[in-house]
């Protein structure tokens, strides 16, 4: 495990993320992969363009053709029958069902506490405020493929239900049996999802954004996905609501010499095992801590499962950085704006107020990210790639929208009207000014 | 003024909006305009592509070249000197300055009331919550060109300042004198904007998203713009935060026979005068009300300023629809999801709870949209094009982001750890399970 003692080197290597998948070497690899699937060396953007265009114009016909190409088989129908979703629990180990139920309860508990509420304020000019309403129909993307993530079903669908969304639809790619795995369906049943579709990738985004005969058009699409999903979400942004553009997962751990190095190493491996693009970075306070943690990682990796993923991830995006003080470490963390920030230091609460950009902060050694991923309560869908500078984890705010309330009173017309008319004229909008003054004239008529 | 008595016709004409600018007839017109500017018949998407690419790679050099092409002159510097911004108030009529100050005070008042605050909740497993932090640097787009909108400066910059953003930057296209007009600069001074740049269009979006030697890279870009700005915002979404994609402005008025028809007509004209793409639609309750309102619009337009814009707007996107009842009218309004919804009916508060999708609702005859545009308090930047189904007006939420707080206690590891480990294993993430169990082993060692 590499140790980086020079902060400038750290900033210009692992803390400086790579480019976007579409403009990095990923581009060439994607072209090669697409040559096999599409018989042309298409870029990610070109594939997504084609999928969006075809699904918009041909609907299910295009979806079936694309599924045959990408998934390698011809789907008969994308909708998973409701009785199959309902029966899925029985096909999953009881222990897993109970764990899903505990997770669901915790996620519900946390999200019920922050459902945005409308409010009003009154003064002598009228009543103003915000009316909060649920987004009616949401489409949730649940990755499949190499792994299945029932936890993501809960993290997206439960907040939607808590916020009162009328219809909650999940798209998840089909496994070998032609539909998402039973554990995904069980999670959907536990979360109260209305409909599940065996669809993934950019084609799921296209179907949800435009609607087809079998897949309903939704108002907002949420959830993670690969580079194709990210590009498709970017393209349909504005046509439909989009939560955020997800990239590879990241964890930045700040550790002093208080935690057992093997604990830090375990957290690093838990992060790195996600996929070869995942980033697991430690900022150690002092050279001794750094050396001990690096050694513990090297030891742990020897007997760890998923070793080739761990090695790829750590070689490309991982490392132990030596920082001279926690202030420097916090500055580096804020500049990086990680998805997950773990504070494995003495007196960790002292540093929470210094966190300026992070998806989630894990305070102290018992606050294990791997527990937060499943059952703590807050969502595990968090901003990646430095987007924590401007975006948030999935919260209830993602499932509602606001209507501004203007109830200007007669007294408000008198008090505010002249200034509004002045500004309208300063902007060259004479008819605005006249609309205001028409009320004043009317009042004169009726003698108010 | 056309009256549409058949609701199916209404739904398939004015209530069904046109396509996106880039795929409508606007496409051909854009190619023609771009042939003059760029010497090639480029689409909007192609122009935006080129601008983004050039500004990303060449910075200010590209900005100067693009400005020379688009604005027709070679800008020496884009940054407006601070002393010129500060002195602009003196170049604006006192009445306008006072109106801007009143508007600023009202906007501040409304937004100070809804700055999101962090919160925590504790149970036997630990402490969870949300930490709210301001977005550090925001770039605000203020349209120029045919009109100047100082009100938009206030509507964007004051919430940013209220929320604690560290740096607030405005980009607005230069007028004939090479910089934004004095009233824009005066509004910037009143709102406490840090820096103003004489830049508009997709090049402003590019500069703010990537940064150049003279324009700082920001964390989020907010504000309205034309089809080029909309396309540029869509492209950089995810690289930088984006508020929403703005389209032409819209007002839907529901009117019974209680308001004076000339009042309704005045509101219609105030909306239609924005630009030829603006939509001003009335849903009248009953044929008599419809006829009276249509006649009043026809009369008012005779003596109205900006008549050619009014006529173009009303011919393409305006009309009076006859609805048999207010319930039907509300259904039509919710399906349309207008930017502005005005309730010019008896007992208007009764219908506020029926509003499901709208940017803003104006309750009753004195609640004049033209006052709300300037001095009521809530932002006038609201979702257009039906995006009120999933998005909100600009509020304080646009200027902050959330970090989820996880402070799991030792008791939480014991209570939640086994379920989290089960779910990790169900997802094939063995190292996650081990990271949890490593803590339990550690506890045994120290005898906890």
């Amino acid at each position: 495990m590499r140790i980086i003692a020079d902060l400038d080197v750290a900033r210009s290597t692992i803390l400086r993320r790579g480019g976007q998948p579409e403009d990095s070497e990923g581009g060439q690899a994607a072209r090669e992969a697409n040559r096999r699937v599409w018989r042309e060396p298409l870029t990610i953007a070109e594939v997504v363009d084609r999928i969006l265009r075809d699904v918009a114009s041909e609907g299910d016909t295009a979806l079936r053709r694309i599924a045959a190409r990408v998934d390698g088989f011809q789907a008969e129908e994308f909708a998973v029958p409701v009785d199959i979703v309902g029966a899925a629990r029985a096909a999953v180990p009881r222990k897993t069902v109970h764990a899903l139920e505990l997770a669901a309860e915790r996620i519900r508990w946390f999200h019920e506490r922050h459902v945005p509420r409308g409010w009003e304020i009154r003064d002598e000019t009228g009543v103003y405020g915000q009316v909060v309403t649920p987004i009616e129909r949401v489409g949730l993307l649940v990755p499949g493929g190499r792994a299945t993530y029932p936890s993501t079903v809960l993290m997206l669908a439960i907040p939607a239900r808590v916020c009162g969304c009328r219809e909650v639809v999940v798209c998840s790619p089909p496994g070998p049996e032609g539909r998402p795995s039973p554990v995904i369906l069980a999670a959907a049943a536990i979360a109260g999802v209305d409909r599940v579709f065996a669809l993934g990738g950019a084609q799921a985004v296209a179907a949800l954004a435009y609607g087809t005969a079998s897949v309903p058009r939704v108002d907002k699409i949420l959830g993670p996905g690969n580079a194709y999903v990210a590009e498709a979400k970017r393209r349909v942004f504005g046509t439909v609501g989009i939560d955020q553009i997800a990239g590879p997962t990241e964890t930045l751990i700040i550790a002093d010499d208080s935690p057992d190095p093997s604990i830090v190493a375990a957290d690093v491996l838990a992060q790195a095992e996600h996929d070869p693009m995942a980033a697991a970075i430690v900022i150690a306070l002092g050279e001794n801590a750094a050396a001990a943690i690096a050694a513990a990682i090297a030891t742990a990796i020897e007997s760890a499962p998923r070793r080739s993923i761990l090695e790829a991830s750590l070689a490309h995006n991982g490392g132990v950085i030596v920082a001279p003080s926690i202030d420097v470490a916090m500055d580096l963390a804020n500049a990086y704006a990680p998805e997950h920030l773990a504070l494995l230091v003495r007196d960790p609460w002292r540093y929470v107020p210094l966190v300026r950009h992070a998806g989630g902060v894990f305070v102290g050694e018992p606050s294990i990210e791997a527990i937060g991923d499943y059952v703590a309560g807050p969502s595990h869908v968090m901003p990646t790639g430095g987007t924590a500078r401007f975006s948030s984890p999935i919260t209830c705010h993602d499932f509602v929208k606001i209507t501004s309330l203007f109830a200007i009173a007669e007294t408000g017309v008198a008090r505010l009207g002249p200034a509004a008319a002045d500004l309208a004229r300063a902007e060259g909008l004479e008819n605005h000014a006249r609309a205001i003054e028409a009320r004043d004239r009317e009042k004169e008529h009726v003698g108010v």
Side-chain angles (χ1 to χ4, degrees), chain A residues 126-129 403-408:
Chain A
V127 179
Y128 311 91
T403 299
S404 292
L405 178 71
F406 300 78
I408 305 167

Side-chain angles (χ1 to χ4, degrees), chain A residues 234-251:
Chain A
R234 191 178 290 115
R235 295 291 175 102
V236 300
F237 172 63
T239 301
V240 63
I242 293 294
D243 55 341
Q244 53 188 253
I245 306 292
T249 177
E250 307 155 341
T251 291

